[in-house]
Amino acid sequence: MLEVTSTSMETKLGVNFARIYTESTMCKDMDALVKGLSMPPPGTNDLHFPTRFPQKFWEQFKACLWKQCLSHWRTPSYNLVRIAFMTVSSIIFGVLYWQKGNIRHINDQQSLFTILGCMYGTTLFTGINNCQSVMPFVAIERSVVYRERFAGMYSPWAYSFAQVAMEIPYVLVQLVLFMLIAYPMIGYAWTAAKFFWFFYTMFFTLLYFLYLGMLMVSITPNIQVASIFASMFYTTQNLISGFIVPPPHIPKWWTWLYYMSPMSWTLNLFFTTQFGYEDDRKILVFGETRTIAAFVRDYYGFRRDLLPLAAILLAGFPVLFAVLFGYSISRLNFQKR
């Protein structure tokens, strides 16, 4: 509007105001002032900040954790739904497999396959639900990271680690619900060792499925592509986890994929800790009498000496996925303007 007015006035008056200003002493004085201010005084140093962010990483993490706590608490469509889903799923699986895990009710290979299938099905079902439900929430939060990244208040690592840490209490709530509802209904043993190992295995399994969903969102441009990538992971888990095709029968050229599968170590821990030590209980399997521990070891290849390794690797998968999620958030940017 100003340019239009100035042009119209120049047309009417026949005066070039821009040329008059550039030839004036005022313009020369302003140019000299700008040039003088752009030169630092002698003996001074350039402006320098010792750190990129105003606070240390721990302070950034606490601020982001507080923000994530509010964000999670104010999103019942995400947290309340998955907790309700776990409650309903625990009741359904408890009724469906009522007392099938009781060692006194396992008399042949079919009853053993039933309870092993229960472990496999419940773990995969609840894990996939966690993975799918977290994707829309992380997709929305990623937009917040893009918006606030240029403010320079905190690093993407602090934000991503806070988001990862905030999921742990909610996973514990889910797990407590499962252990209080489904565990006694299915009839698993109430010994301290078996209860602890079941809790440990289920906790880290739910975590790595959850962090997998976060990772899929961080490396893909939108939630649709993330869901496709996650579906490929589910299919691989189904085929190579060691339940549908037992490890001794997996082709040699696919063995590496079996050992890379997180679900294979989950089943290793489940089967070994629940039934791998039943040396006194004998059942009829394929026409011969064998102990449950020997059948699990020979048919599935789950040995007791692999238990410490399986426990360490299972705890390592959530850490790996969380670190990859933080790296992807800090390096990749799918925002389009």
Side-chain angles (χ1 to χ4, degrees), residues 60 72 97 108 124 134 155 160 187-188 214 241 272 300:
Q60 299 175 41
H72 277 68
Y97 294 100
D108 52 17
L124 194 63
V134 76
S155 68
S160 58
Y188 292 120
M214 299 169 67
S241 62
T272 304
Y300 286 103

Side-chain angles (χ1 to χ4, degrees), residues 184-235:
M185 293 178 68
I186 296 175
Y188 292 120
W190 281 99
T191 61
K194 291 187 176 182
F195 184 88
F196 165 78
W197 279 114
F198 197 100
F199 189 95
Y200 178 91
T201 307
M202 196 71 176
F203 174 70
F204 284 107
T205 300
L206 292 178
L207 269 187
Y208 74 65
F209 268 105
L210 187 71
Y211 294 162
L212 173 72
M214 299 169 67
L215 175 61
M216 291 295 105
V217 173
S218 66
I219 63 175
T220 53
N222 51 60
I223 191 174
Q224 289 79 15
V225 180
S227 299
I228 294 173
F229 273 61
S231 299
M232 295 170 58
F233 179 84
Y234 307 150
T235 304

Side-chain angles (χ1 to χ4, degrees), residues 33-95:
L33 179 62
V34 170
K35 185 179 295 185
L37 293 177
S38 63
M39 300 293 293
T44 60
N45 298 322
D46 294 337
L47 188 63
H48 172 73
F49 296 98
T51 59
R52 179 181 176 184
F53 302 100
Q55 296 292 336
K56 296 181 179 179
F57 182 83
W58 178 246
E59 298 298 329
Q60 299 175 41
F61 175 77
K62 290 193 297 183
C64 293
L65 189 63
W66 172 78
K67 176 185 177 301
Q68 288 295 328
C69 181
L70 294 179
S71 180
H72 277 68
W73 184 255
R74 294 170 180 175
T75 315
S77 59
Y78 168 51
N79 289 301
L80 188 61
V81 167
R82 64 173 172 170
I83 290 175
F85 181 88
M86 177 61 77
T87 304
V88 175
S89 300
S90 300
I91 296 174
I92 292 175
F93 280 111
V95 173

Side-chain angles (χ1 to χ4, degrees), residues 80-296:
L80 188 61
V81 167
R82 64 173 172 170
I83 290 175
F85 181 88
M86 177 61 77
T87 304
V88 175
S89 300
S90 300
I91 296 174
I92 292 175
F93 280 111
V95 173
L96 185 62
Y97 294 100
W98 179 264
Q99 296 302 310
K100 294 294 184 180
N102 194 324
I103 195 66
R104 296 190 300 269
H105 297 167
I106 301 177
N107 301 312
D108 52 17
Q109 81 273 3
Q110 186 56 53
S111 56
L112 183 61
F113 286 154
T114 300
I115 189 57
L116 296 182
C118 170
M119 293 180 180
Y120 170 74
T122 54
T123 304
L124 194 63
F125 187 72
T126 54
I128 289 177
N129 175 71
N130 266 15
C131 185
Q132 290 295 128
S133 61
V134 76
M135 287 184 183
F137 182 78
V138 176
I140 296 174
E141 289 293 320
R142 184 174 63 174
S143 302
V144 178
V145 177
Y146 290 154
R147 183 189 64 193
E148 298 182 356
R149 176 181 295 176
F150 301 102
M153 296 196 59
Y154 49 79
S155 68
W157 284 100
Y159 184 89
S160 58
F161 284 162
Q163 192 169 11
V164 165
M166 197 61 240
E167 295 290 348
I168 295 178
Y170 290 94
V171 172
L172 284 174
V173 171
Q174 288 182 288
L175 187 55
V176 168
L177 289 172
F178 183 86
M179 299 299 289
L180 292 178
I181 300 174
Y183 192 89
M185 293 178 68
I186 296 175
Y188 292 120
W190 281 99
T191 61
K194 291 187 176 182
F195 184 88
F196 165 78
W197 279 114
F198 197 100
F199 189 95
Y200 178 91
T201 307
M202 196 71 176
F203 174 70
F204 284 107
T205 300
L206 292 178
L207 269 187
Y208 74 65
F209 268 105
L210 187 71
Y211 294 162
L212 173 72
M214 299 169 67
L215 175 61
M216 291 295 105
V217 173
S218 66
I219 63 175
T220 53
N222 51 60
I223 191 174
Q224 289 79 15
V225 180
S227 299
I228 294 173
F229 273 61
S231 299
M232 295 170 58
F233 179 84
Y234 307 150
T235 304
T236 306
Q237 295 302 294
N238 272 315
L239 296 177
I240 312 295
S241 62
F243 180 75
I244 297 177
V245 181
H249 302 286
I250 295 178
K252 297 296 183 181
W253 53 87
W254 287 117
T255 304
W256 63 272
L257 189 57
Y258 165 77
Y259 287 113
M260 290 182 61
S261 170
M263 194 67 184
S264 66
W265 299 104
T266 296
L267 297 184
N268 195 324
L269 276 174
F270 269 142
F271 293 5
T272 304
T273 56
Q274 291 294 319
F275 302 107
Y277 290 88
E278 298 294 337
D279 296 317
D280 299 329
R281 179 68 177 181
K282 294 184 178 181
I283 60 175
L284 186 65
V285 291
F286 303 119
E288 61 176 336
T289 302
R290 303 184 63 184
T291 63
I292 295 179
F295 177 73
V296 170

